[in-house]
Amino acid sequence: MKDIAILISPVANGAYFNETIDIAQKEFKQCIGEYDLTLNEIGGMQFLQTQLPEQKLEALARLSFVQGIFSYDSGTLTPLSLNTDFNLHSDFVFGSKYKGKTNEILTQLLLNVGLSFCKEKDVSKIKLLDPMCGRGTTLMWAMRYGIKSKGIEQDPNAVLDFRTFAKKWTKLHRQKHELKEGFIGKANKQNKGKFIDFTANGVNTRIINGNATTACDLLKREKQHLIISDIPYGVQHFTTEKTRNPIAVLEECAPQWADLLHKDGICVIAFNKYIPKRKELIAVFEAAGLSALEFEAPHRMSESIFRDVVVLRKN
Ligand SMILES: C[S@@+](CC[C@H](N)C(=O)[O-])C[C@H]1O[C@@H](n2cnc3c(N)ncnc32)[C@H](O)[C@@H]1O
């Protein structure tokens, strides 16, 4: 066992606001295990201190709130090299800013929590879907973790914007890659089913323009281990039905998403718990054959958004 001090990233405050410490502890407990944690302020910085076996350090370095890891010996902090083993440069995820982008740190937590519950531990075998993927923050994180992913987004501009970003980013980083565009099934006038495939360092992601309520068709029933999504908050984003409450759309989506999951597959959803309520959201997915697991991460973002995370498993 090693005495460890974990420096909490100030950037995490931008994701979790006043609940940063609480959520850091929840993510740690879920992804690393039941170790005692104490909060200490040293030199104006916040550290979580604990004792951990060496083999946990790599997983620890991948937690969303971690800025640095130090060994702690009689008050002396010595930085340990963080071996996160991520694919691609971090600004692949953090480099683009656009209206409606899900916070990158929160998105990493969703992925970490999903992976902690996922039975398949070999990331090269895992398939991940974000059925309401926007411009692809979840998919970009998946690529950094070496996970093959697909996303569905109703806004046709998302595919175009992703292509523009990928072209600019790969040029900047002289990154070898492949970009391929096409249509799922027959091309049609409304661009439904248009997709873009992006492959770099042997990992692939695909963004499909379409409706999450038809996910099974768009994915040709290809089974997934993980579904991870930040659904509309009922403030900035409307759903396809032009309503602020995503529940009606989720009622249509839930059977499709459930169908796409492997048995024991995991679904992680970030949502605004003002709309829909946690119980309502869980009820919709339970009706489709998923069960809620023990994890929550409630944190207030603004007067109208109280974000939370729900994790469900296919029975
Ligand atoms: C909170 S945003 C997700 C943002 C995304 N994680 C990102 O960082 O770019 C929710 C997204 O769901 C999309 N959406 C809403 N209803 C949808 C539907 N029925 N099918 C597909 N996408 C949908 C919205 O257009 C919006 O882009």
Side-chain angles (χ1 to χ4, degrees):
M1 291 291 236
K2 229 174 154 52
D3 281 321
I4 295 289
I6 310 157
L7 177 59
I8 299 174
S9 167
V11 180
N13 291 324
Y16 310 131
F17 304 89
N18 287 340
E19 270 68 51
T20 300
I21 304 299
D22 188 43
I23 291 181
Q25 289 175 326
K26 285 191 160 86
E27 187 185 11
F28 177 95
K29 185 176 157 201
Q30 177 56 40
C31 301
I32 305 296
E34 294 279 355
Y35 298 89
D36 285 339
L37 283 174
T38 38
L39 177 68
N40 262 332
E41 202 168 303
I42 309 171
M45 293 172 281
Q46 288 186 307
F47 291 85
L48 284 175
Q49 283 181 241
T50 186
Q51 285 195 320
L52 277 187
E54 293 254 359
Q55 65 267 27
K56 294 274 182 186
L57 294 184
E58 197 169 312
L60 181 65
R62 287 176 171 230
L63 296 192
S64 69
F65 64 90
V66 173
Q67 167 97 32
I69 304 175
F70 298 76
S71 68
Y72 188 78
D73 187 10
S74 327
T76 304
L77 291 169
T78 311
L80 301 174
S81 58
L82 294 189
N83 181 16
T84 52
D85 202 22
F86 283 137
N87 197 11
L88 308 178
H89 190 279
S90 71
D91 76 4
F92 183 55
V93 172
F94 290 89
S96 63
K97 295 287 171 211
Y98 50 85
K99 195 171 166 231
K101 183 175 189 180
T102 305
N103 181 285
E104 300 88 346
I105 301 279
L106 183 269
T107 308
Q108 189 183 12
L109 173 138
L110 302 180
L111 187 49
N112 285 336
V113 169
L115 286 169
S116 76
F117 283 108
C118 186
K119 284 225 165 130
E120 179 58 71
K121 295 297 173 199
D122 180 349
V123 286
S124 69
K125 290 190 182 149
I126 293 179
K127 288 184 183 172
L128 176 151
L129 167 70
D130 181 347
M132 295 187 173
C133 72
R135 275 132 188 87
T137 311
T138 316
L139 312 180
M140 290 172 177
W141 262 127
M143 280 196 88
R144 292 203 74 213
Y145 276 71
I147 295 172
K148 188 176 175 182
S149 61
K150 288 196 168 71
I152 301 169
E153 169 55 48
Q154 66 180 5
D155 178 358
N157 291 326
V159 170
L160 307 173
D161 290 351
F162 182 82
R163 181 180 56 194
T164 308
F165 170 74
K167 281 194 167 164
K168 234 169 50 188
W169 186 85
T170 48
K171 195 170 170 197
L172 192 72
H173 287 268
R174 297 170 185 226
Q175 172 70 49
K176 278 196 183 156
H177 68 283
E178 250 182 84
L179 266 178
K180 217 175 72 191
E181 290 176 62
F183 283 90
I184 306 284
K186 283 188 193 151
N188 72 33
K189 282 185 190 138
Q190 284 150 358
N191 261 2
K192 287 283 177 279
K194 185 176 170 68
F195 69 78
I196 184 157
D197 265 342
F198 177 69
T199 310
N201 295 355
V203 191
N204 169 266
T205 193
R206 169 176 288 191
I207 297 190
I208 306 165
N209 174 222
N211 194 328
T213 58
T214 63
C216 282
D217 269 356
L218 292 172
L219 262 76
K220 300 184 177 155
R221 305 206 120 70
E222 182 190 11
K223 294 282 184 206
Q224 307 292 313
H225 300 86
L226 283 175
I227 290 181
I228 295 189
S229 207
D230 179 32
I231 65 172
Y233 292 171
V235 180
Q236 212 160 17
H237 298 291
F238 285 85
T239 69
T240 324
E241 310 304 315
K242 302 280 174 228
T243 151
R244 289 188 189 276
N245 190 347
I247 213 78
V249 169
L250 290 173
E251 276 167 355
E252 279 187 69
C253 289
Q256 299 260 327
W257 300 3
D259 200 29
L260 281 171
L261 278 174
H262 281 292
K263 183 177 176 302
D264 293 326
I266 298 294
C267 179
V268 185
I269 295 175
F271 67 107
N272 177 7
K273 68 182 202 153
Y274 286 143
I275 181 172
K277 302 267 184 255
R278 187 179 176 89
K279 266 189 182 168
E280 283 179 283
L281 180 65
I282 290 175
V284 165
F285 282 93
E286 282 185 345
L290 273 64
S291 304
L293 301 174
E294 212 176 301
F295 185 84
E296 53 177 14
H299 53 287
R300 179 182 287 286
M301 291 175 66
S302 65
E303 235 175 81
S304 50
I305 303 176
F306 208 127
R307 189 164 55 192
D308 198 359
V309 175
V310 75
V311 184
L312 304 126
R313 175 179 282 140
K314 181 166 169 176
N315 300 325

